[in-house]
Amino acid sequence: MHDRVVLVVGSSGILHPAASALIAGGVTVVGVSRYGADESIAVDARDVGSLRAALDGRTWSEALVYRPAVSEESLAFLQSTTPGRCVVILTSEAADPVFGEVHVGNDILLAGWTVSDRARWHTAAEVSDAALQVLEDGTPRILGTVRPWRNRPR
């Protein structure tokens, strides 16, 4: 069996705990972040040309992609070059009622907010844990809630 390699876009921010957990589990992580923190590749992943150049010659089997960190073109590139599961982590902005009914497809995590005590955004650890679950099984998930919209944290 060959080694598992996971590309993590957002590896020094919201997906840092996911990258760390993968590494702790013996998985090779190719991290991508804007400033190159934590031994990641420094690149503005919203620029598809720069992203292609930064990843040239590298291979990975799966990916975790924080959607605000990439453009539509960059996301399409990553999805087309990832042979396995390419999990996209969306923020609650994707659930804005102006876009209509919420639909979450396979390999998608929609990060909403929690209302356990009071409305708050999820932590990096909470988002990362949910993202790793989607990476393992591909089942779409909404982390927390995205309705009623007026109750979201500000």
Side-chain angles (χ1 to χ4, degrees):
M1 183 174 168
H2 52 280
D3 293 331
R4 184 177 180 199
V5 180
V6 178
L7 176 75
V8 180
V9 179
S11 64
S12 69
I14 192 81
L15 294 176
H16 185 268
S20 296
L22 288 166
I23 291 167
V27 175
T28 300
V29 169
V30 177
V32 172
S33 67
R34 184 173 292 179
Y35 303 109
D38 299 318
E39 300 180 26
S40 63
I41 299 167
V43 63
D44 182 352
R46 295 173 299 181
D47 179 331
V48 69
S50 296
L51 183 61
R52 279 181 195 272
L55 294 175
D56 187 44
R58 298 178 189 271
T59 59
W60 55 92
S61 52
E62 303 160 277
L64 289 174
V65 181
Y66 184 55
R67 180 62 179 93
V70 297
S71 64
E72 287 187 33
E73 295 82 11
S74 294
L75 180 59
F77 163 70
L78 292 171
Q79 289 173 322
S80 71
T81 56
T82 301
R85 189 164 280 129
C86 184
V87 175
V88 179
I89 297 88
L90 303 173
T91 64
S92 63
E93 181 180 340
D96 188 321
V98 301
F99 300 124
E101 185 178 330
V102 175
H103 173 73
V104 180
N106 290 337
D107 299 332
I108 300 289
L109 171 64
L110 174 55
W113 57 88
T114 181
V115 290
S116 55
D117 297 331
R118 59 178 177 76
R120 68 166 176 83
W121 300 117
H122 289 283
T123 65
E126 291 166 337
V127 172
S128 287
D129 287 348
L132 289 172
Q133 290 174 2
V134 178
L135 185 64
E136 288 306 314
D137 64 20
T139 302
R141 288 177 172 80
I142 296 175
L143 178 60
T145 188
V146 293
R147 297 287 187 266
W149 188 251
R150 69 182 174 282
N151 291 350
R152 72 191 182 284
R154 309 244 188 235

